[in-house]
Amino acid sequence: MTPPSVLDDLTRLDLATYQAIAETPTPTLDEPLRRLSLVASHSKLWMGIAALIAALGGASGRRTAVTALTAVAVNSLVVNLPLKLLGRRARPDRVAARVSPTRQVPMPTSPSFPSGHAASAFAFVAAVARTMPGVARCLRALAYLVGYSRVHTGVHYPGDVIVGAFVGTAIGESVAYAASHRPRGRR
């Protein structure tokens, strides 16, 4: 017999963590996390925050908002097309895990790995952090909550969210770096 691989161990931890979250009653958290998960769908949350940054931040805020939304768009192309097709991980079975119906959001039809919600959240925050680090600190907490909400509602395993956060951060930082190094027109 061969010893279990690291990947096997991580998969067991992922499933056990998902199951523990599903089985833990949290009636006061269920509705707010369900709503947050829904608001973050299709990046509506990040578009709204970008509009606020653009409206309140002057010229710098407008550039930051455009960069952050560009990061979300690039992230969506990378995560929702090649990465999800490569990952092909099935969504969790909420019925078998006994996820409370009060937590549930519609189950996406796309593969589970990686989490697009988490990736978009962290791409947005990483792009904002380049020029507005104070704002990004607050937004990072919101990104963590969005990621957790996807596990809480039963549509992702924790590992999907963790990898999504790493991918999104890398994309957001890359887009922000490129935006800060592009040549500017003469004034």
Side-chain angles (χ1 to χ4, degrees), residues 114-179:
S115 168
H117 276 66
S120 290
F122 282 87
F124 187 89
V125 172
V128 169
R130 181 116 184 143
T131 54
M132 301 177 131
V135 171
R137 275 191 285 285
C138 296
L139 294 178
R140 192 167 288 113
L142 185 57
Y144 285 123
L145 284 172
V146 167
Y148 174 75
S149 78
R150 300 304 283 171
V151 178
H152 194 84
T153 59
V155 298
H156 277 292
Y157 295 103
D160 303 337
V161 170
I162 292 167
V163 172
F166 282 126
V167 169
T169 298
I171 290 170
E173 287 177 354
S174 298
V175 168
Y177 178 84

Side-chain angles (χ1 to χ4, degrees), residues 23-34:
E23 291 175 352
T24 304
T26 54
T28 58
L29 296 177
D30 291 351
E31 183 62 18
L33 288 170
R34 188 183 72 75

Side-chain angles (χ1 to χ4, degrees), residues 24 74 78 113 119 138 164 186:
T24 304
V74 169
V78 171
F113 181 85
C138 296
R186 289 188 205 180

Side-chain angles (χ1 to χ4, degrees), residues 8-187:
D8 291 338
D9 286 351
L10 291 173
T11 299
R12 277 193 291 280
L13 283 172
D14 203 26
L15 296 173
T17 304
Y18 178 85
Q19 188 65 49
I21 291 168
E23 291 175 352
T24 304
T26 54
T28 58
L29 296 177
D30 291 351
E31 183 62 18
L33 288 170
R34 188 183 72 75
R35 286 179 188 234
L36 178 61
S37 184
L38 289 170
V39 169
S41 293
H42 308 290
S43 299
K44 293 182 301 264
L45 175 62
W46 309 114
M47 287 186 270
I49 292 171
L52 285 173
I53 290 171
L56 302 175
S60 174
R62 288 188 293 279
R63 282 191 300 276
T64 298
V66 167
T67 300
L69 289 177
T70 300
V72 170
V74 169
N75 173 78
S76 292
L77 285 172
V78 171
V79 170
N80 293 325
L81 294 174
L83 291 184
K84 282 195 180 272
L85 292 176
L86 288 171
R88 305 188 127 249
R89 185 179 198 187
R91 294 281 175 169
D93 182 348
R94 291 190 292 202
V95 174
R98 295 184 304 278
V99 175
S100 170
T102 61
R103 293 182 180 187
Q104 295 183 19
V105 296
M107 183 64 81
T109 57
S110 63
S112 189
F113 181 85
S115 168
H117 276 66
S120 290
F122 282 87
F124 187 89
V125 172
V128 169
R130 181 116 184 143
T131 54
M132 301 177 131
V135 171
R137 275 191 285 285
C138 296
L139 294 178
R140 192 167 288 113
L142 185 57
Y144 285 123
L145 284 172
V146 167
Y148 174 75
S149 78
R150 300 304 283 171
V151 178
H152 194 84
T153 59
V155 298
H156 277 292
Y157 295 103
D160 303 337
V161 170
I162 292 167
V163 172
F166 282 126
V167 169
T169 298
I171 290 170
E173 287 177 354
S174 298
V175 168
Y177 178 84
S180 70
H181 285 82
R182 70 174 176 252
R184 306 226 177 190
R186 289 188 205 180
R187 294 184 184 202

